[in-house]
Amino acid sequence: MLPRGRPRALGAAALLLVLILIGFFLFGGDLECERREQGGPGSFRCSLTPRVPPDGDLPADHGGCNRSDCVPLRPLPPKCELLHVAMVCAGHNTSRDVITLVKSMLFFRKNPLHLHLVTDAVARNILETLFHTWMVPAVRVSFYDAEELKPQVSWIPNKHYSGLYGLMKLVLPGALPPALARVIVLDTDVTFASDIAELWALFAYFSDEQVIGLVENQSDWYLGNLWRNHRPWPALGRGFNTGVILLRLDRLRQAGWEQMWKLTATQELLTLPATSLADQVWGSLLGGGGQAQGQGEMAVSAQDIFNAIIKRHPGLVLPLPCIWNVQLSDHTLAERCYSEAADLKVIHWNSPKKLRVKNKHVEFFRNLHLTFLEYNGNLLRRELFGCPSPPPPEAEQLQRALAHLSEEDTCLEFRQQQLTVHRVHITFLPHEPPPPRPHDVTLVAQLSMDRLQMLEALCRHWPGPMSLALYLTDAEAQQFLHFVEASAVLSARQDVAYHVVYREGSLYPINQLRNVAMAQALTPYVFLSDIDLLPSYSLYDYLRASIEQLELGSGRKAALVVPAFETLHYHFSFPNSKAELLALLDAGSLYTFRSHEWPQGYAPTDYARWREAQAPYRVQWAADYEPYVVVPRDCPRYDPRFVGFGWNKVAHIVELDAQEYELLVLPEAFTIHLPHTPSPDISRFRSRPTYRDCLQILKDEFHQDLSRHYGAAALKYLTALQQPEAPQG
């Protein structure tokens, strides 16, 4: 007979054993909460990724092993240590994702960064221009040609929504510089909520065997129980997600990584059957494993191959805290890995639905993402405190030029705006270049947010290619994106290239905008217009025919003048022919452009002669002439010193004349200016004498430069330019 207290003790022990077993079942993963920090690499204070029970949520008192206080307490890397980050990027849309990701990284970072970008030609053109003009201190960018890497992965069947480029993570150890030992690899659809140095610090926990750091997959994809006959690629338990990867490149190379992944992929492809239509549907809906297959074809992602390798070699992987890759795929189980949304470090939008995915905290995540999407990237140009790094050469030259400016200069505002280097995001939206044609013409124009409503009408009038520079803030760029997506007219046009120049400074950099749009035109000729002018419906075809008939391609230097008119009515019947236009002109519904405010700007076109003309005729340059012209793409650029309002087109026509371009007026061409509210710069020009005085100073400086460049041939401009008092164009 047992003592009276013994049964109670046994019962308590049994209950404790049951609780321990339940706790082990709930929290037993690759690393348990009982595993305490021993001071050496590979040991943590508490679990990294608690095991998710097959049914039901984790209890509220599960020990706190999923919060930020479970991240190993490891010192951050030295403040000036260079951190390396690799991404694979292709196309227009993914390039925009990269920029948002980079903004989130730059916001929190305290270390220099070296970005290694594997890109196609489109993404490289976009990102190279952006980083060159962004001039962020302590950020280096290297590009790697995806076309050269494609043969290494093109043999793998792939229908994932990221395409063949998603497989290129596999070849990074061979593609990146041999001396590079460690790198963080990121999907472009992640957003940082913490300093990336904290993630880099986890490299210190790699054991001698471990080469890959990954977060556990947060969906049931690799468990293979989503539907009957579901056969995912092999994985260790729930598998791992490759949206955030820590790679020990040196160890991977030593271990023969290329042979390892190719052998694994080949062997698994031989044993796995072709996927079914059900795979296609579930793969795209769940997004956890990233599959989006086609019927009767095996679809493979880099994540599948990583997991198959880890299944065979579990010792290669270091499981990372789930807060470093919170996966917002459809049917995600990510909510079970954290207590507070604010604890999270990296948010991963790994579903084709992206921000439309369903999650308990999705509003918090979405707002964080949108914050960086619309964040003013100019603010990220700040120097790293206490971490000296040489600025880019262009930035150093700019700093010297700004240092020479005098605070006493009444034109300081103009000088500063002229020297400003704006961030430029070319081809902001998907764009299909026009097929090469010898006489093709691109309409070039610039605009700001208050002129967006004119885009649809312009697209209806001009069926040819366009290159448009938009002066926007980061937030306005997103509004513009939604504006185009909501417009059936604009979204249907793939031959319109939109280039965002991010706003900085108080004056409108009109000629810089024009130069950006001109530089991105892909046809032999450009029609230099403005956004508030509508060309005649037939102008595009007429210009191409005129270029051919005048044999401009044979080396003849000519600027084809398109006569401009204006209406004071917001709604009027647009003329379909020259005859209809002349009738409206005679009826007083139309006027020759700016005939009341600035007649010298367009009078040399000789509108009286144009009424009767049957063939192109030549006109002579005159002071302040500023017609809208069609010129070769390689013509002189606009002078960027002219900002705000006044003399911006005039200076360009002077330059064309100095280079001996003929001015030929086309008899059947016309464009009509629509009324709109005055721009802020026009109002400042009219109301501030100092504004007009500064413009005169800029004109004088322009002529001095012209004289130095063209010598005695520029004397005629000196005489002519001294006469007007109120330049307008």
Side-chain angles (χ1 to χ4, degrees):
M1 186 175 178
L2 297 173
R4 180 179 297 180
R6 192 79 177 270
R8 292 182 180 178
L10 288 175
L15 179 59
L16 180 61
L17 179 60
V18 170
L19 291 175
I20 290 174
L21 290 174
I22 292 174
F24 179 80
F25 174 75
L26 290 175
F27 305 116
D30 298 313
L31 296 171
E32 296 81 23
C33 283
E34 288 80 6
R35 185 174 181 179
R36 301 292 174 179
E37 186 169 11
Q38 302 298 319
S43 57
F44 292 90
R45 195 161 56 85
C46 54
S47 89
L48 297 177
T49 48
R51 177 173 294 166
V52 180
D55 51 358
D57 294 326
L58 291 175
D61 58 346
H62 60 276
C65 293
N66 60 356
R67 297 192 303 270
S68 58
D69 58 4
C70 287
V71 177
L73 301 177
R74 191 75 179 182
L76 293 177
K79 191 171 185 178
C80 294
E81 180 179 346
L82 182 63
L83 312 185
H84 294 268
V85 181
M87 287 174 274
V88 180
C89 174
H92 302 86
N93 294 336
T94 308
S95 298
R96 290 201 310 273
D97 294 338
V98 166
I99 295 166
T100 305
L101 163 57
V102 169
K103 284 200 286 189
S104 72
M105 277 197 298
L106 294 177
F107 182 83
F108 294 106
R109 64 104 182 213
K110 300 180 181 67
N111 287 69
L113 297 176
H114 189 162
L115 305 181
H116 302 266
L117 305 180
V118 178
T119 61
D120 65 352
V122 168
R124 174 161 187 167
N125 195 26
I126 293 170
L127 296 174
E128 203 164 34
T129 302
L130 178 85
F131 282 109
H132 178 73
T133 55
W134 201 348
M135 297 192 300
V136 181
V139 173
R140 295 170 55 191
V141 185
S142 298
F143 291 92
Y144 306 83
D145 189 355
E147 287 298 318
E148 295 180 1
L149 303 177
K150 274 186 179 181
Q152 299 184 49
V153 295
S154 57
W155 57 275
I156 303 173
N158 180 264
K159 289 287 184 179
H160 185 269
Y161 63 82
S162 66
L164 196 63
Y165 297 94
L167 291 164
M168 291 186 183
K169 296 177 188 176
L170 296 165
V171 303
L172 288 176
L176 297 179
L180 184 58
R182 294 177 292 174
V183 70
I184 296 172
V185 183
L186 301 173
D187 278 357
T188 58
D189 55 359
V190 304
T191 305
F192 271 78
S194 183
D195 188 350
I196 193 173
E198 297 178 37
L199 178 59
W200 186 267
L202 298 183
F203 274 116
Y205 290 90
F206 277 60
S207 69
D208 293 339
E209 182 185 2
Q210 290 166 336
V211 296
I212 305 171
L214 293 167
V215 170
E216 186 181 42
N217 198 48
Q218 292 164 7
S219 83
D220 285 338
W221 176 266
Y222 286 108
L223 296 182
N225 58 4
L226 294 180
W227 63 86
R228 189 171 59 183
N229 298 325
H230 173 212
R231 287 196 60 188
W233 273 56
L236 188 66
R238 196 175 293 282
F240 293 91
N241 184 274
T242 55
V244 176
I245 315 174
L246 302 187
L247 288 184
R248 283 298 304 259
L249 297 171
D250 50 353
R251 296 178 183 176
L252 286 167
R253 297 181 188 114
Q254 293 170 5
W257 170 254
E258 183 178 356
Q259 294 77 12
M260 184 187 299
W261 77 257
K262 287 183 177 179
L263 178 61
T264 301
T266 302
Q267 291 175 344
E268 295 298 338
L269 285 170
L270 291 174
T271 59
L272 289 172
T275 57
S276 65
L277 182 60
D279 291 318
Q280 175 189 6
V281 176
W282 277 94
S284 61
L285 286 178
L286 292 177
Q291 281 82 354
Q293 297 101 328
Q295 187 173 11
E297 295 183 36
M298 176 64 67
V300 184
S301 68
Q303 181 169 294
D304 292 328
I305 298 174
F306 270 103
N307 275 289
I309 293 171
I310 293 169
K311 175 72 171 179
R312 298 182 180 198
H313 309 282
L316 297 179
V317 67
L318 172 70
L320 301 180
C322 62
I323 55 177
W324 284 106
N325 183 358
V326 177
Q327 302 145 39
L328 298 182
S329 57
D330 288 347
H331 302 284
T332 179
L333 303 175
E335 296 174 15
R336 304 177 186 180
C337 95
Y338 61 89
S339 297
E340 301 294 336
D343 290 338
L344 305 182
K345 304 290 187 180
V346 175
I347 299 164
H348 185 189
W349 304 91
N350 64 321
S351 165
K353 292 184 178 180
K354 301 303 178 188
L355 272 64
R356 301 189 307 274
V357 72
K358 294 181 180 179
N359 178 278
K360 182 169 64 176
H361 299 105
V362 72
E363 283 302 315
F364 176 88
F365 302 141
R366 185 184 292 117
N367 288 337
L368 179 68
H369 177 79
L370 293 176
T371 295
F372 291 113
L373 191 70
E374 300 181 356
Y375 187 79
N376 182 356
N378 299 330
L379 301 177
L380 298 169
R381 287 170 162 171
R382 62 179 182 267
E383 296 281 349
L384 290 180
F385 179 74
C387 188
S389 60
E394 299 84 358
E396 195 170 6
Q397 295 171 10
L398 176 62
Q399 289 172 3
R400 286 199 298 266
L402 289 171
H404 281 88
L405 296 181
S406 171
E407 294 289 338
E408 305 301 321
D409 188 348
T410 57
C411 300
L412 179 63
E413 186 179 21
F414 286 82
R415 312 285 188 200
Q416 291 173 330
Q417 189 71 67
Q418 178 188 345
L419 290 172
T420 298
V421 178
H422 296 86
R423 283 179 298 136
V424 178
H425 186 151
I426 60 174
T427 52
F428 187 76
L429 297 179
H431 172 245
E432 289 293 334
R437 290 188 288 193
H439 308 112
D440 208 359
V441 184
T442 295
L443 187 149
V444 168
Q446 40 69 41
L447 66 151
S448 52
M449 197 68 181
D450 59 341
R451 300 288 191 263
L452 282 188
Q453 74 278 4
M454 298 181 173
L455 285 176
E456 286 192 348
L458 182 60
C459 282
R460 292 189 179 99
H461 279 251
W462 181 269
M466 287 188 274
S467 182
L468 306 177
L470 299 96
Y471 194 50
L472 307 173
T473 65
D474 294 73
E476 288 173 343
Q478 298 310 309
Q479 297 175 38
F480 162 70
L481 173 63
H482 299 319
F483 180 83
V484 174
E485 290 174 342
S487 167
V489 174
L490 301 182
S491 59
R493 292 288 298 271
Q494 295 295 304
D495 58 350
V496 180
Y498 301 101
H499 317 292
V500 174
V501 178
Y502 287 101
R503 197 163 73 194
E504 186 173 7
S506 58
L507 294 169
Y508 188 74
I510 186 167
N511 278 356
Q512 294 184 40
L513 296 172
R514 286 172 169 148
N515 288 339
V516 168
M518 283 178 68
Q520 298 306 317
L522 301 176
T523 57
Y525 299 90
V526 288
F527 172 33
L528 304 179
S529 185
D530 278 331
I531 198 65
D532 45 12
L533 284 98
L534 287 183
S536 60
Y537 288 109
S538 60
L539 185 60
Y540 174 58
D541 291 332
Y542 176 61
L543 290 179
R544 289 186 296 149
S546 298
I547 291 169
E548 183 175 11
Q549 292 168 6
L550 293 169
E551 299 181 343
L552 298 190
S554 62
R556 183 180 183 183
K557 293 175 68 174
L560 307 182
V561 175
V562 177
F565 300 83
E566 66 179 330
T567 177
L568 302 180
H569 304 290
Y570 283 93
H571 300 286
F572 81 110
S573 179
F574 197 92
N576 290 306
S577 65
K578 179 178 179 178
E580 290 185 17
L581 180 138
L582 292 175
L584 292 171
L585 194 63
D586 292 338
S589 297
L590 285 180
Y591 304 90
T592 54
F593 190 38
R594 309 196 78 174
S595 56
H596 302 297
E597 302 92 351
W598 183 240
Q600 60 266 50
Y602 299 87
T605 298
D606 194 350
Y607 285 92
R609 182 176 178 182
W610 182 81
R611 292 178 69 105
E612 308 297 332
Q614 301 295 318
Y617 58 93
R618 185 170 181 174
V619 295
Q620 297 299 316
W621 175 87
D624 301 310
Y625 191 31
E626 54 170 6
Y628 295 97
V629 294
V630 177
V631 287
R633 181 180 57 191
D634 60 355
C635 74
R637 293 298 186 253
Y638 286 88
D639 192 309
R641 85 185 77 203
F642 295 103
V643 296
F645 177 77
W647 232 68
N648 42 77
K649 294 200 307 295
V650 173
H652 188 243
I653 297 299
V654 169
E655 189 83 18
L656 291 177
D657 185 71
Q659 294 197 11
E660 300 181 340
Y661 276 74
E662 296 179 78
L663 294 171
L664 299 175
V665 181
L666 297 177
E668 299 296 327
F670 63 86
T671 185
I672 299 178
H673 179 269
L674 301 181
H676 56 74
T677 55
S679 69
D681 287 320
I682 293 178
S683 301
R684 295 170 72 183
F685 170 83
R686 292 171 177 170
S687 62
R688 289 172 48 181
T690 55
Y691 192 109
R692 297 191 292 273
D693 292 343
C694 287
L695 188 55
Q696 184 61 47
I697 292 172
L698 294 180
K699 287 170 54 182
D700 294 340
E701 293 173 354
F702 168 78
H703 182 262
Q704 293 170 13
D705 292 341
L706 205 68
S707 298
R708 280 192 289 267
H709 189 74
Y710 296 101
L715 290 177
K716 71 171 183 177
Y717 307 115
L718 176 61
T719 304
L721 300 182
Q722 288 176 340
Q723 296 174 358
E725 296 181 357
Q728 300 288 313

